[in-house]
Amino acid sequence: MTKTDPLKTEFCSLVGCDYPIIQAGMGGVARWELAAAVSAAGAFGCLGMVRESADRIRSEIRAVRQRTDRPFGVNLIPAATPPQLFAQELAACIDENVEHIVYFWDVVPAAIDAAKRGGCKVLYQVGSVEDAVEAEAAGADVIIAQGVEGGGHVHGHVTSLTLLPQVINAVKIPVIASGGFADGASLIAAIALGSAGVHCGTVFVASEESFAHQIHKERIIQARETETVHTDAFAINWPPQSPVRVLANKTTQCLNDRLWGYSDQSFPHDAIAEEEGRPVYRFSTDSPLRSMTGELDQLALFAGQVTGQVNEIRPAAMIVDQMIRHARQRLKQLGFDDVWREE
Ligand SMILES: Cc1cc2nc3c(=O)[nH]c(=O)nc-3n(C[C@H](O)[C@H](O)[C@H](O)COP(=O)(O)O)c2cc1C
């Protein structure tokens, strides 16, 4: 008897990938090298293109397509991008026939509508049941439910495994779990709760192909799960009250200790690094990239609590492969090895 493979979820059928693992579109970090490697490995890669120029977006999309014909997405953040730039970014994606747009932060119904009219499927990462319902009502095809343990900007208030079943109960479209996923066992846990897959950021920052600076990757593989902080310290570039989860460093420590004496509104534009002549400010949302120099360990070292489980820098394809093997091994241990037939 052939039964359905539990790892072939409705998300895989919807977008055409083999495995229900979505690599988060991370600004600066997730460029063509990473997105192409993840998609070529059978999972779903995503370009992190927040506030990038239309030209940059076009060239990144083309670079992915030169390396793979597998499906991928482009991540944009309507609520944290000036409207004119956002319109140019989306127009570039539509011109390039991008099939999947992944949005994050506050739900902007007009942005969903514009992408749908351009022929794209819309995945929306949200942090609450209310936002999931709003995104579905505005036409989103997939909800990504982000828990508070995730790395980078955090819209969630509760853990991903707490939020996930509540979002699943509230919407009819597929829901993907985000925050805290880096191995196959946690993928099985999410699927057991009704998720159509997992969305992973931190584990892919520590991939060979990510554009993160080596300093960032090494901090992630060394850090324990207790070493992240949820903070408003990195505020320049984003709307107010946009907390992030990062690895603790001198910047977060000093702010916590109130040694700087700054109020939320008065973050000084104190350049501590640079990227090709552009100053990078201490309290900006820039994370250290390969192209930067300066006091990089004091920038925003975005990482989720799952950092405690990420202990080596691996090729992205190996991350995907090991997650899937681990998931199948866990299914077998649970006695589900005979319920589907692998191709
Ligand atoms: C370095 C880094 C940068 C991120 N940048 C973005 C971004 O530009 N756009 C976005 O939608 N999410 C971004 N995120 C958040 C992810 O989409 C996702 O919610 C989070 O990584 C999931 O939790 P995890 O880190 O435990 O896997 C970022 C996360 C990290 C770690």
Side-chain angles (χ1 to χ4, degrees), residues 24-29 48-50 75-77 102-105 125 144 146-147 149-153 178-181 199-203 205 216 220 238 245 287 301-307:
M26 298 174 280
V29 170
M49 294 287 105
V50 56
N75 170 251
L76 302 175
I77 308 192
V102 184
Y103 288 142
F104 182 34
W105 214 247
Q125 180 169 221
I144 302 174
Q146 190 206 36
E149 66 273 70
H153 279 88
S178 180
F181 299 93
H199 182 245
C200 310
T202 302
V203 70
V205 179
H216 193 177
I220 285 181
W238 268 62
R245 185 173 296 283
S287 64
L301 299 170
F302 296 129
Q305 292 175 339
V306 79
T307 188

Side-chain angles (χ1 to χ4, degrees), residues 179-187 198-200 202-204 306-307 309-310 314 319 322-323 326:
F181 299 93
D183 70 0
S186 58
L187 168 60
V198 291
H199 182 245
C200 310
T202 302
V203 70
F204 286 112
V306 79
T307 188
Q309 224 182 302
V310 180
R314 292 169 286 172
I319 295 175
Q322 289 182 344
M323 280 181 78
H326 187 214

Side-chain angles (χ1 to χ4, degrees), residues 259-315:
L259 290 181
W260 300 94
Y262 303 137
S263 74
D264 282 355
Q265 282 76 35
S266 65
F267 286 104
H269 283 50
D270 163 21
I272 59 168
E274 70 148 28
E275 182 182 36
E276 290 149 15
R278 175 182 75 92
V280 179
Y281 301 110
R282 181 184 298 281
F283 298 109
S284 81
T285 55
D286 287 289
S287 64
L289 302 179
R290 291 185 208 166
S291 45
M292 292 180 186
T293 52
E295 296 176 73
L296 302 184
D297 57 341
Q298 296 185 36
L299 292 175
L301 299 170
F302 296 129
Q305 292 175 339
V306 79
T307 188
Q309 224 182 302
V310 180
N311 301 319
E312 52 180 335
I313 298 169
R314 292 169 286 172

Side-chain angles (χ1 to χ4, degrees), residues 10-342:
E10 53 188 333
F11 176 77
C12 298
S13 324
L14 184 74
V15 304
C17 64
D18 297 333
Y19 307 127
I21 299 169
I22 298 156
Q23 166 249 309
M26 298 174 280
V29 170
R31 298 190 180 172
W32 66 264
E33 292 99 320
L34 179 57
V38 170
S39 288
F44 188 80
C46 188
L47 292 168
M49 294 287 105
V50 56
R51 282 191 307 275
E52 296 286 4
S53 69
D55 284 350
R56 179 63 180 269
I57 292 175
R58 284 178 200 282
S59 70
E60 293 282 326
I61 292 167
R62 289 174 191 176
V64 172
R65 286 195 174 128
Q66 271 174 12
R67 275 135 195 108
T68 182
D69 59 2
R70 303 309 309 273
F72 67 96
V74 177
N75 170 251
L76 302 175
I77 308 192
T81 305
Q84 200 187 351
L85 175 59
F86 175 74
Q88 292 164 356
E89 291 180 317
L90 184 60
C93 294
I94 292 170
D95 276 0
E96 294 291 324
N97 296 313
V98 165
E99 289 179 69
H100 310 98
I101 298 287
V102 184
Y103 288 142
F104 182 34
W105 214 247
D106 294 341
V107 177
V108 179
I112 299 179
D113 189 50
K116 300 286 295 183
R117 278 190 285 105
C120 312
K121 291 192 184 83
V122 174
L123 288 65
Y124 221 117
Q125 180 169 221
V126 299
S128 68
V129 173
E130 292 73 16
D131 280 3
V133 169
E134 190 183 352
E136 180 184 46
D141 299 282
V142 174
I143 298 295
I144 302 174
Q146 190 206 36
V148 71
E149 66 273 70
H153 279 88
V154 178
H155 222 7
H157 299 279
V158 297
T159 63
S160 55
L161 294 189
T162 307
L163 180 64
L164 180 66
Q166 301 185 54
V167 171
I168 289 172
N169 278 340
V171 300
K172 295 194 175 60
I173 53 180
V175 180
I176 302 288
S178 180
F181 299 93
D183 70 0
S186 58
L187 168 60
I188 296 303
I191 288 176
L193 285 175
S195 178
V198 291
H199 182 245
C200 310
T202 302
V203 70
F204 286 112
V205 179
S207 66
E208 286 182 0
E209 294 86 350
S210 101
F211 204 76
H213 196 280
Q214 194 69 10
I215 285 177
H216 193 177
K217 297 183 188 183
E218 279 172 13
R219 277 289 321 265
I220 285 181
I221 63 171
Q222 286 156 7
R224 300 268 320 270
E225 70 285 2
T226 47
E227 289 179 46
T228 72
V229 288
H230 184 258
T231 174
D232 290 322
F234 300 100
I236 298 172
N237 288 338
W238 268 62
Q241 275 122 38
S242 299
V244 294
R245 185 173 296 283
V246 290
L247 292 165
N249 62 7
K250 192 175 161 197
T251 303
T252 60
Q253 192 56 47
C254 289
L255 199 74
N256 280 354
D257 294 348
R258 299 185 185 282
L259 290 181
W260 300 94
Y262 303 137
S263 74
D264 282 355
Q265 282 76 35
S266 65
F267 286 104
H269 283 50
D270 163 21
I272 59 168
E274 70 148 28
E275 182 182 36
E276 290 149 15
R278 175 182 75 92
V280 179
Y281 301 110
R282 181 184 298 281
F283 298 109
S284 81
T285 55
D286 287 289
S287 64
L289 302 179
R290 291 185 208 166
S291 45
M292 292 180 186
T293 52
E295 296 176 73
L296 302 184
D297 57 341
Q298 296 185 36
L299 292 175
L301 299 170
F302 296 129
Q305 292 175 339
V306 79
T307 188
Q309 224 182 302
V310 180
N311 301 319
E312 52 180 335
I313 298 169
R314 292 169 286 172
M318 188 187 287
I319 295 175
V320 172
D321 185 59
Q322 289 182 344
M323 280 181 78
I324 294 300
R325 279 171 196 267
H326 187 214
R328 295 214 185 276
Q329 200 180 41
R330 191 46 62 104
L331 282 170
K332 202 168 183 180
Q333 285 163 349
L334 290 169
F336 292 106
D337 57 322
D338 60 344
V339 299
W340 80 92
R341 184 186 294 159
E342 273 190 68

